[in-house]
Amino acid sequence: MADETIGVVGAGIVGLATAREIALRRPGTRVVVFEKEQEVSRHQTGHNSGVVHAGIYYTPGSLKADLCVRGVALLREYCQDRELPYQEIGKLVVAVREDELSRMENLYQRARNNHVPELRRISREEIKELEPHAGGIAALHSPRTAITDYPAVARAFATDVTDSGGEVRLGFPVTSITTVPRGIEVASGQDRVRVDRLILCAGLQSDSVARLAQDRQEPRIIPFRGEYMLLKPDRTDLVRGLIYPVPDPRYPFLGVHFTPRVDGSVEVGPNAVLALAKEGYRRSTVSPRDLLGLAAYPGVWKMAAQHWRTGVKEYRGSFSAAAFMKDAGLYVPGVGVRDVVRGGAGVRAQALDRDGTLVDDFRIHRVGRITAVRNAPSPAATASMAIAEHITAAVFGDS
C-alpha cells in the first residue's frame, strides 16, 4: 500500500539493506530507520571480517544457502556500481588430517548443490601453487570468494535510504513498541513515532527488542566474542587469499582462519568465547543484566553441558597467544606468536533455543504488523541485499 510509513529497528547492514529495498521498490512508502548509536554499523557490521561468502557451508534449500548465493550476485553488482571495494581473492578450505577428508567431500557436494561457482578439489601440490606457505593434504578452492568493506557498504545503503526520501534516526534507542489502531508506536523515552508496519533487525539486541514487541521468548541471543590476531606487516606476504579449516559440523563457527583485508592487513582468527555482555568487545566488559539473562535461560546450561570442553579450549586461546596460534600454525606452518600482534574483536549474535541448540539458519517471522529477524549470523552481511528482498516480499505479500 502506498503512503505507508515503515519502521526498521537497527542500522546494521541487514536493517539498512531492508530499508533501502523498501524505499527503492515501494514508491510512496516512507521509511524510518531507528538506531540507538550515533552512527550506522557500530556493532556486528562494523566488526565484520569483510568476507563475501560463496555459499560453501550451508544446507541446500535453507534460507542461508538460497539467500547467500543470491546475495553475492547483488552485492558484487552493487559494489561495482558504487566503486566500493570488492576483491575476488579466492578461498582455500584446507584439510590437514586424513579424518577431515570425508567432511571436506561433504562440503564439496553441499557447495555443488548450492551452485558455488568454479569450486574444485585440489591436491597438496596444487595448494602450494596457490599458497606457497600453506600446509594441508588437500583442499577445496573457491576462486570467486571475495572480500569487501561492509561498513562502507552499510553507509552507502544509508545514503540510498535518505536520497529516496527516507530517514535514518540516530541516537534513538527503542524503549517501547506499542500496538495502536492501524499501526505501531515506536518510542525512545518521550519521543514517539507512529508507523504502519515495523521490521526488527536489532542484531545483538534482537531478542530484547522482540520482547518489547510482545514476540515469543525464544530463541535468545547468546553473545560470542571472536578475537583476532594480526600478522605483522612484514609477514602479510605469507598469505595471498583466504585460508580456512574444514569446519566442525557441530558448530556454526568456521574456526580460526587467515583473512586478508581490503586495507592490506591480514587477520588470524576468530576464536569463539562466550562474552559477558552483548556488546562485550573486551574481556573486561561485563554486563550484570546480560549475565543474569544468560544464567536464567535453560538453553545456556544445556549448551554448556554439551560443549564445555570446547569452551575451555576457546578460553585458553583467548588468554594465551601461543594457544591461539597453535591451530593457525597447522594451516600456515611456521607462523607463531612472534609473527602476530593482538587485533580487534567482534561479537556474534548467536541465537540459542531452549533445548540448548545453536540455531544455524536465518530465522525470520511475523507477528501481526511486525516482522522480526531473530537470527541472522554469518553470512548475513554477504546475503544482506537478498535478505532485504526476502523480508520485503514477506511484509508486502509479494510473490
Side-chain angles (χ1 to χ4, degrees):
M1 181 186 300
D3 301 322
E4 282 189 317
T5 298
I6 306 299
V8 178
V9 177
I13 197 166
V14 172
L16 290 169
T18 301
R20 173 187 177 274
E21 180 72 14
I22 294 170
L24 293 177
R25 308 301 176 199
R26 308 290 301 192
T29 300
R30 177 172 176 261
V31 181
V32 183
V33 180
F34 304 105
E35 170 55 48
K36 70 185 180 71
E37 304 293 354
Q38 296 297 331
E39 58 184 327
V40 304
S41 70
R42 273 289 303 276
H43 293 292
Q44 291 186 105
T45 305
H47 294 83
N48 193 290
S49 65
V51 178
V52 182
H53 291 281
I56 295 172
Y57 305 102
Y58 317 119
T59 302
S62 66
L63 274 180
K64 270 191 177 183
D66 294 345
L67 298 182
C68 179
V69 173
R70 168 68 175 159
V72 170
L74 294 171
L75 183 63
R76 183 193 305 115
E77 181 179 4
Y78 186 81
C79 288
Q80 290 171 348
D81 288 346
R82 302 306 172 92
E83 298 183 346
L84 295 168
Y86 190 95
Q87 302 169 19
E88 291 185 344
I89 61 172
K91 174 194 283 189
L92 291 180
V93 181
V94 179
V96 296
R97 299 188 306 272
E98 293 287 340
D99 64 0
E100 293 179 328
L101 293 176
S102 61
R103 279 194 276 143
M104 192 182 80
E105 180 61 24
N106 288 339
L107 274 184
Y108 177 74
Q109 297 301 330
R110 177 172 286 194
R112 281 175 57 87
N113 287 333
N114 290 339
H115 307 291
V116 173
E118 301 177 34
L119 186 77
R120 63 191 182 102
R121 308 180 190 91
I122 64 172
S123 65
R124 187 196 306 263
E125 291 73 27
E126 291 171 302
I127 291 173
K128 290 296 185 183
E129 292 174 7
L130 293 166
E131 293 283 358
H133 301 284
I137 58 176
L140 301 179
H141 180 221
S142 172
R144 302 294 296 277
T145 296
I147 56 175
T148 189
D149 181 342
Y150 283 119
V153 174
R155 291 191 294 271
F157 287 167
T159 298
D160 291 342
V161 170
T162 56
D163 286 351
S164 299
E167 182 181 3
V168 179
R169 297 196 63 169
L170 302 175
F172 193 103
V174 174
T175 55
S176 70
I177 297 171
T178 307
T179 299
V180 296
R182 297 184 298 281
I184 300 154
E185 188 177 78
V186 182
S188 180
Q190 297 303 309
D191 194 356
R192 301 175 183 276
V193 179
R194 185 196 171 281
V195 299
D196 294 283
R197 311 190 206 203
L198 186 65
I199 301 166
L200 310 181
C201 301
L204 287 159
Q205 305 297 338
S206 61
D207 55 351
S208 300
V209 173
R211 284 196 295 274
L212 293 178
Q214 307 302 311
D215 192 13
R216 65 185 71 167
Q217 295 296 304
E218 286 88 29
R220 294 285 182 87
I221 292 300
I222 308 301
F224 282 94
R225 187 173 61 254
E227 301 159 332
Y228 289 90
M229 298 289 185
L230 285 173
L231 285 183
K232 292 179 178 178
D234 63 347
R235 302 295 278 168
T236 57
D237 61 353
L238 294 175
V239 176
R240 295 177 177 177
L242 298 151
I243 303 176
Y244 276 60
V246 177
D248 186 333
R250 295 175 298 169
Y251 301 104
F253 313 112
L254 298 179
V256 170
H257 45 269
F258 291 80
T259 307
R261 303 294 302 266
V262 294
D263 64 4
S265 63
V266 177
E267 290 181 332
V268 186
N271 57 2
V273 298
L274 186 65
L276 304 182
K278 284 186 175 180
E279 297 170 8
Y281 300 104
R282 299 171 182 265
R283 287 196 297 263
S284 58
T285 303
V286 180
S287 165
R289 179 179 179 179
D290 290 346
L291 276 180
L292 285 172
L294 290 174
Y297 188 52
V300 171
W301 298 102
K302 293 174 182 178
M303 176 189 70
Q306 296 176 59
H307 304 300
W308 67 269
R309 289 181 178 84
T310 300
V312 169
K313 178 184 176 184
E314 294 292 312
Y315 268 107
R316 187 180 298 124
S318 178
F319 286 93
S320 166
F324 188 103
M325 292 302 297
K326 183 179 179 181
D327 286 344
L330 297 173
Y331 301 93
V332 181
V335 169
V337 174
R338 67 188 180 280
D339 302 301
V340 297
V341 295
R342 287 277 180 184
V347 181
R348 173 187 174 116
Q350 175 59 54
L352 182 72
D353 278 329
R354 180 171 284 267
D355 65 359
T357 300
L358 294 163
V359 180
D360 184 53
D361 203 4
F362 298 148
R363 193 171 287 184
I364 303 167
H365 64 90
R366 293 180 64 183
V367 182
R369 293 173 175 263
I370 298 173
T371 301
V373 179
R374 296 298 299 267
N375 190 51
S378 179
T382 299
S384 57
M385 297 180 78
I387 294 172
E389 290 182 336
H390 178 82
I391 291 173
T392 301
V395 167
F396 294 99
D398 298 339
S399 57

